[in-house]
Amino acid sequence: MTGRPRSGPGRGWLLRLVIAFAFAQGAVSMARPAVSYRALALGADETAVGVIAGVYALLPLFVAVPLGRRTDHGRCAPLLPLGVLLISGGCALSGLVSSLPAMAAWSGVTGLGHLCFVIGAQSIVARQSAPHEQDRNFGHFTIGASLGQLIGPIAAGALISGQGGALGRTSALALLVSAGVCAVALTSLWRIEHRRTTGTRPRAEGKVPVRTILGARGVPAGILISMAVLSATDILTAYLPVVGEHRSIAPATVGLLLSLRAAATIACRLVMTPLLRLLGRRALLTTSCLLAGLLCAGVALPVSVPVLAVMLAVLGFCLGVGQPLSMTTVVRAAPDGARSTALALRLTGNRLGQVAAPAAAGLIAGAVGVAAPFVLLGVGLMGAAGLGLRGEGGKDQVSADEAVSDRSNRRSAPGGCPRDRRAARSPRSGG
């Protein structure tokens, strides 16, 4: 008798992982603006601030694939506390040092810790989720990131003050607090990875070449969709204040608009499962990217604040789809024994987008105007919609996964005849 294809009892492990991710992501979201303010207080100019911020994303580019390969051939759970310790150490020491090169180095350590945590956490979700559970579980997992992105900047803003020459002291305080916030994540990192999952996981026969992974249909699409969605989120966060300044929108109002966008993303991920049942994953991914592209380009229009609020709420909801579904796309398309490496390649693409997108947006904004980057991002998201339409491994793979689950459930039902029911429900029989 075969039961439902779960890798462990219940989903308590997923809840604990979401809680830990919320604290880790919240700490990083606090630290990144605090590092910029701390650098300014130490005399950095705009270029130096950009370099320090870029090191956060650049350093992980060189270790993402080796970490993914290590995770493919071993346990995932050790990466989680390692990531927490690196994030906490990087945040704390960024607040204590008084030189810009040292700040850049510890910013890179923070980025490395975040990469370790995310690779380990995503690999655990991929391993311990049955195929029909992956979209839902990845959607719930990314709620942790959205919560951290929602609360972290608000907490940093409450702690940092530039009045009376106190910017250096208050930004250092915010970095120390962010280190403590990340350390709280350790309290949720128990019984995350099931021993049964690690013991029965198929072993890879040697290393799968990166070219082979990238050549698997669906992997490039998942990586590019993730890059487009993350770039849109980053540019929106960075340039909406500039748009607000040009349109005389108060900074407090801009902050509320950005929080509304983040809250809508969380709401999307809470209702991911019914949306998938209603539309199907391919239609949901394509529609959300297409609508997000139109709305992102629409931010460039001189609309009123209430209209902008509605646009950003819908945009945030649409952007909430791309990240979890791109994770599932990459996991399903990757060769056996190379799923963690494929997820690491996806994160490498994200980091490249985080480095390249702001630089490109700055050049375009300087040459054409602050609204131009939103139009460019809109075009990119509409291109991602095309990738979502044709780039995945195919609807047949999803249907096959769901069929395996259905057959397993029918075998476990008392008094059933699996062979007859398979014949009755077979797609080739037209039933």
Side-chain angles (χ1 to χ4, degrees):
M1 183 179 294
T2 305
R4 185 182 293 267
R6 288 182 182 271
S7 299
R11 288 197 296 152
W13 63 270
L14 182 59
L15 176 60
R16 293 191 292 275
L17 190 60
V18 169
I19 292 171
F21 194 22
F23 279 105
Q25 184 64 55
V28 170
S29 298
M30 286 180 65
R32 296 202 71 188
V35 163
S36 297
Y37 283 117
R38 174 80 171 155
L40 290 171
L42 294 176
D45 58 11
E46 290 80 359
T47 302
V49 171
V51 170
I52 292 173
V55 171
Y56 170 89
L58 280 174
L59 183 60
L61 291 177
F62 302 99
V63 297
V65 172
L67 275 176
R69 291 201 185 279
R70 179 255 170 222
T71 307
D72 278 323
H73 294 272
R75 296 182 62 214
C76 309
L79 285 179
L80 304 182
L82 175 62
V84 170
L85 292 175
L86 288 174
I87 294 171
S88 293
C91 291
L93 290 167
S94 294
L96 295 175
V97 298
S98 56
S99 72
L100 296 178
M103 284 200 67
W106 290 118
S107 176
V109 170
T110 302
L112 179 61
H114 187 259
L115 179 78
C116 289
F117 189 98
V118 173
I119 287 179
Q122 289 183 4
S123 299
I124 287 174
V125 176
R127 285 182 187 175
Q128 298 185 174
S129 304
H132 67 283
E133 297 175 322
Q134 286 174 346
D135 286 325
R136 180 197 64 193
N137 287 356
F138 274 123
H140 290 173
F141 166 71
T142 52
I143 289 174
S146 298
L147 286 171
Q149 292 165 356
L150 175 64
I151 298 172
I154 297 174
L159 290 170
I160 299 172
S161 171
Q163 297 179 353
L167 182 60
R169 177 176 54 82
T170 56
S171 59
L173 174 63
L175 286 165
L176 293 174
V177 171
S178 66
V181 168
C182 187
V184 177
L186 292 172
T187 62
S188 292
L189 297 180
W190 50 277
R191 295 180 63 188
I192 294 289
E193 187 174 23
H194 301 139
R195 295 288 182 177
R196 188 171 64 184
T197 304
T198 57
T200 59
R201 181 173 43 85
R203 290 278 182 177
E205 297 181 0
K207 295 180 179 179
V208 180
V210 170
R211 185 166 59 181
T212 301
I213 299 172
L214 292 175
R217 183 181 177 187
V219 171
I223 292 173
L224 292 173
I225 290 169
S226 181
M227 286 179 63
V229 172
L230 185 64
S231 297
T233 303
D234 279 3
I235 298 303
L236 188 67
T237 302
Y239 277 86
L240 191 63
V242 181
V243 172
E245 188 70 19
H246 279 255
R247 300 182 188 174
S248 300
I249 302 174
T253 304
V254 172
L256 288 174
L257 291 172
L258 290 173
S259 297
L260 179 64
R261 194 279 311 162
T265 298
I266 295 173
C268 168
R269 289 166 181 172
L270 286 172
V271 298
M272 183 77 72
T273 300
L275 285 175
L276 286 166
R277 290 199 195 103
L278 179 66
L279 298 175
R281 68 186 323 273
R282 180 177 295 188
L284 179 60
L285 187 58
T286 302
T287 303
S288 64
C289 287
L290 181 61
L291 186 55
L294 294 172
L295 289 168
C296 204
V299 173
L301 300 175
V303 297
S304 64
V305 171
V307 174
L308 185 60
V310 173
M311 291 173 62
L312 288 173
V314 180
L315 175 58
F317 192 92
C318 293
L319 291 176
V321 172
Q323 292 289 62
L325 291 194
S326 69
M327 293 178 199
T328 310
T329 298
V330 169
V331 165
R332 287 177 171 171
D336 291 339
R339 290 178 175 178
S340 295
T341 305
L343 287 170
L345 287 170
R346 175 185 167 277
L347 290 172
T348 302
N350 286 352
R351 292 293 189 265
L352 283 172
Q354 286 181 306
V355 173
L363 291 174
I364 294 171
V368 183
V370 294
F374 294 100
V375 177
L376 180 64
L377 287 173
V379 173
L381 285 167
M382 285 186 272
L387 291 172
L389 185 63
R390 70 177 188 87
E392 196 178 343
K395 190 173 181 179
D396 295 340
Q397 177 65 34
V398 182
S399 300
D401 291 336
E402 293 171 348
V404 169
S405 173
D406 289 340
R407 287 197 296 270
S408 299
N409 293 336
R410 286 193 294 273
R411 287 193 194 104
S412 63
C417 180
R419 182 177 299 175
D420 294 342
R421 295 189 182 192
R422 280 200 301 270
R425 296 287 300 276
S426 171
R428 294 182 180 180
S429 66

